[in-house]
Amino acid sequence: MSARLVMHVDLDAFYAAVEQRDRPEWRGLPLVVGAEPGKRGVVATCSYEARAFGVHSAMPMAEAVRRLPPETVYVRPAMEHYMRVSRQILTVLDGISPVVEKVSIDEAFVDISGLERLMGPPEVIGRTVKARIREAVGLRASVGIGPNRLIAKLASDAQKPDGLTVVAADQVGSFLDPMPLGVLRGVGAKTAPKLARLGLQTVGDVRRLPLEELRRHLGARAGTQVHLQARGIADDHVDPRRTRKSISKETTFAADVTHGWVLEDSLRWAAQEVGYWARHEGRKGRVVTLKIRFRPFETHTRSQTLKAPTASDVEIFDAAWTLFRFEPWAGRPVRLIGLGISGWDGADAGRQLDLFETAAPEPPRERERLDTTLDAIRDKFGAGRIQRGLPRRSPS
């Protein structure tokens, strides 16, 4: 392996796995964590037994219920409980290496460079991590190990669930070559069609194309990025202090949607998820981005910079809905819709409420108090137990 050795640890179907661990009678059954059947909402995650029926995260619950058999178990999320389990897993990883970067509640990067002398080869380190997680919390993890973050992440995805894939530095080319272009971070809605027109379908196809050719078709910046990604050249730095550049949520519909109220509900759900996680991480952002996709892969993004940083569900949704309404998309069948927040601003991130304030508070302050109350209810009882009552902007 190269001097740098990065491990990516990803808990398989985390929320669902915790529920099946805690309730042995649910093991082996399709299990969905999310909104209650019969009510408007989406799937947060689901077990692999449910995924066999084509169910996936962010799918509308009504669609999931139509696909799943009668014995399916439906569970409300218990975020506080999941976070406790996540902290236990981080403790396990901290016992492996002093350099651990939490990416989300169910995944992390770990710098294991030099640990071969203490623990053995990468395969042994990976098996040790999986065994310790299983012993500590009774859950399966997929582990990928490689010379950088990109390869480690793709390796952890390669043999899910409960997988272990190690990619040595001299194996990167053969590992990447058969993969579809979509695995490269530099390939998106704009670049994918251009590469397809060149007859390129796999990472290996791109890797064999000269850099000058890529830059001519994609531009200097994008062409260089795709060139490097196709060769497995990526960031190998694991930083426990690294912060996410953005927080986003999106919904991919099983069938294209034209009804405005469905799109509005999806954006409202996404805004609540994004706002919750932004507040949970103590962040506020100035930039709200709307993402929308039509068939076959026509994807658009629009962004709005707010006057002040926010983590408010209402303000995030309002900005995204405004972006949606003022684009000429009305009536077009939508395949995917979502939103995100970025442009973190910590200027007033720790600002405390004035306990001696007697005048009527400004609406933003009221929103912050309501957000705090709703977050506390969600942490205790799970997402969807209580939501804001907001007037609908689209006709039913």
Side-chain angles (χ1 to χ4, degrees), residues 23 87 108 125 156 165 167 214 235 256 301-302 322 366 377:
R23 298 288 295 272
R87 288 192 288 270
I125 298 174
S156 71
T165 303
V167 182
L214 279 173
D235 183 9
D256 294 354
T301 59
R302 299 289 187 271
T322 298
E366 290 179 338
I377 294 172

Side-chain angles (χ1 to χ4, degrees), residues 83 233 334:
M83 288 176 186
I233 301 172
V334 175

